[in-house]
Each structure stands twice: as structure tokens, then as C-alpha cells.
Amino acid sequence: LIKRDSCCNPLSMGAIKKMVEEEVPGIYVLSLMIGKSVVQDTENSFFMDVNEQVSFVCDQLAQDPKLKGGYNAMGFSQGSQFLRGVVQRCPDPPMKNLISVGGQHQGVFGLPRCPGESSHICDWIRKMLNSGAYTDTVQKHLVQAQYWHDPLNDDLYKKHSLFLADINQERVVNETYKKNLMSLNKFVMVKFLQDTMVDPVDSEWFGFYKPGQAKELETLQESAIYTEDRLGLAEMDSAGKLVFLATDGDHLQFTREWFNDNLLPYLH
């Protein structure tokens, strides 16, 4: 199972699907498309409520007889945290391994290199995020706002973030979310060390800015989500279920050899 991120992925999901099928003969690979066409899918990656996208995917998985015994999932960029929403909310069929490739699990605070080819869309997105990321209209209709995490306005984020604050247990601890995430065999997180798109890049390993400022960073292990174990990540870490991988490239830049050596073992 692959969650596409067509808005900002320099790699074709079709090429990834083909590569996996060549390396693992007989494997069934489902490349998720949100909408009825590639154009719709691209538009939805900017403008469709993420909670609706997660529900759409959950229904698609439940109706696929080839997945009823369980599946491995791989998300690219924002597709990673969306798939984490899937595992936390929809345990049937069961997700076995979640591979996050450049995902932003603590969100982003800035768009240094806006995803997409259209500069006017990027300029508009930046304006919306900077002026009112937590207004109901922007939250509902701009995907990037749904994982916008402003450390300078923590209360606003916790109260009004429709997607990220929910799946990261910022308001209440949903024990079902915790139980479902902990059912994974492995949660693999890939961080791109030269990433010029994700700010801060530590979000790819579930790290973020320390609360109340936007300069000093903290690791996942230093954060409240871990020390209070609000999501089960500390217990998963102790059990060896969290895998932190790093590669030197920019956002989503890796070689086939690196992919085969580091990620392919989790797809068997």
C-alpha cells in the first residue's frame, strides 16, 4: 500500500510501485488515489479535508479483499502522517508496518520551498497559513493547515487543529488511537538530512521545537508526547518497534539501492 503525495513528490508513485513489484515478485501494491483522476488527486492533496481523505482510504482498504489479512503501508511526505491517521483510526484490516518517508509527524512551521509547480498557489498557501492557519475555513479547506504546528501559539494549535492535534493526542488521550498505533510491528521514520522543504526537519523523526519558541529543538524522546506516553511511542521504542533512518538527500531524494537496502525488508 502506498499513499501518494502528488503535490510535492519529485518521484512518480508509479515508478515506486513498479520498483517494489520488480523487487518483490508476486507482491500486491495498491497506490492510493484520492479522487477519480490524477488531477483530482493532486487538487485534493492541497484542498481536501484530511479527515475526509483518511475516511476515504479506510473505506477503500476495508473493501479490498486482497488486504483483509493485513498490509504494509508506505507514505511519502504528508502521506506519512495521513497513513498514521489511518492506522490509529481504522484497525481493520490491520496495518503491519508503517514506513514514513519524509513525513511531518509533529507538523511544520514554515514552507521554505513550497510543494507544487504553481507559484501563485504557493504564495496563496503561505499567506493563508501566516494569517489564519487556525481559522475554521482555512483548517477545513487547506491541507497544509491541518498539520501546521505553531509553537508560538500552542493553545490555538491544540484547540483548532482539525487533524494533527487530534492524532497526536494534544487535547485528550484516545486510548483506541494509542492501542491501534502500538499494534504495528514497526513504525519506520526516514529523515532527509539535507531537506529544504520540511521545517523543522526534525518533524520527520517526530521531533519539533520546544514549546513557546521557534529556535530550540527537542527530540521525540524529550517531548511530552513521549515522556507522558500519550501515543504509546515510548512503549513502542522500548519494544524496538520504532526505527529511525537517515539519508543525506534533499526531500524524498534517495537511490534505488538505498531503498532496497533500508526499506524493502519492511515490505516482505
Side-chain angles (χ1 to χ4, degrees):
L1 172 79
I2 296 173
K3 173 70 177 81
R4 42 188 301 127
D5 185 20
S6 54
C7 69
C8 46
N9 189 358
L11 301 166
S12 158
M13 289 296 98
I16 295 286
K17 181 177 187 290
K18 184 180 176 189
M19 184 170 75
V20 171
E21 289 168 340
E22 286 173 357
E23 297 293 341
V24 189
I27 194 173
Y28 171 59
V29 181
L30 172 66
S31 185
L32 295 168
M33 183 164 71
I34 312 296
K36 295 178 179 175
S37 68
V38 173
V39 172
Q40 271 190 12
D41 182 54
T42 301
E43 289 174 353
N44 287 338
S45 70
F46 281 113
F47 303 121
M48 183 180 178
D49 185 334
V50 177
N51 295 304
E52 290 179 21
Q53 294 192 45
V54 170
S55 296
F56 180 92
V57 169
C58 288
D59 289 344
Q60 198 175 347
L61 301 182
Q63 292 167 18
D64 192 327
K66 293 182 179 177
L67 301 178
K68 64 182 179 183
Y71 62 95
N72 297 311
M74 180 181 295
F76 292 83
S77 198
Q78 65 184 24
S80 305
Q81 59 266 32
F82 301 168
L83 279 174
R84 182 160 61 82
V86 170
V87 69
Q88 288 176 210
R89 293 175 179 174
C90 309
D92 187 27
M95 189 185 293
K96 297 174 182 175
N97 295 314
L98 172 57
I99 303 167
S100 162
V101 185
Q104 302 106 37
H105 293 283
Q106 278 283 19
V108 296
F109 186 49
L111 282 178
R113 189 162 59 80
C114 175
E117 301 299 320
S118 175
S119 60
H120 72 274
I121 289 180
C122 287
D123 290 342
W124 181 80
I125 287 174
R126 282 195 189 94
K127 187 178 176 185
M128 290 298 100
L129 291 174
N130 287 330
S131 63
Y134 299 121
T135 61
D136 290 343
T137 303
V138 174
Q139 276 291 309
K140 196 79 178 161
H141 298 292
L142 182 58
V143 166
Q144 287 73 19
Q146 292 168 54
Y147 57 90
W148 184 259
H149 186 171
D150 184 347
L152 307 177
N153 288 289
D154 208 41
D155 290 343
L156 268 182
Y157 159 68
K158 288 177 178 177
K159 187 175 180 182
H160 295 291
S161 169
L162 284 181
F163 176 71
L164 192 70
D166 177 63
I167 66 163
N168 281 1
Q169 310 274 48
E170 298 282 12
R171 291 186 278 267
V172 294
V173 174
N174 180 328
E175 293 296 339
T176 303
Y177 281 6
K178 188 172 176 177
K179 174 173 155 267
N180 290 345
L181 187 64
M182 290 174 66
S183 71
L184 288 172
N185 295 330
K186 298 286 183 185
F187 178 12
V188 182
M189 287 172 263
V190 178
K191 176 178 172 181
F192 292 89
L193 298 177
Q194 312 302 322
D195 203 314
T196 59
M197 185 180 290
V198 176
D199 185 12
V201 69
D202 299 63
S203 187
E204 296 176 4
W205 274 3
F206 233 117
F208 203 65
Y209 294 111
K210 292 179 181 176
Q213 48 82 59
K215 289 183 179 173
E216 281 188 68
L217 295 156
E218 65 182 9
T219 64
L220 166 63
Q221 288 78 4
E222 293 167 331
S223 68
I225 199 171
Y226 188 95
T227 57
E228 297 170 9
D229 210 12
R230 300 175 67 84
L231 205 46
L233 292 166
E235 197 170 328
M236 291 175 75
D237 203 11
S238 297
K241 289 188 169 193
L242 301 187
V243 180
F244 299 92
L245 300 177
T247 183
D248 268 337
D250 197 349
H251 194 61
L252 304 187
Q253 299 294 317
F254 54 84
T255 65
R256 181 167 182 158
E257 182 183 24
W258 185 90
F259 181 95
N260 290 349
D261 289 347
N262 292 278
L263 301 185
L264 210 58
Y266 300 104
L267 296 178
H268 285 278

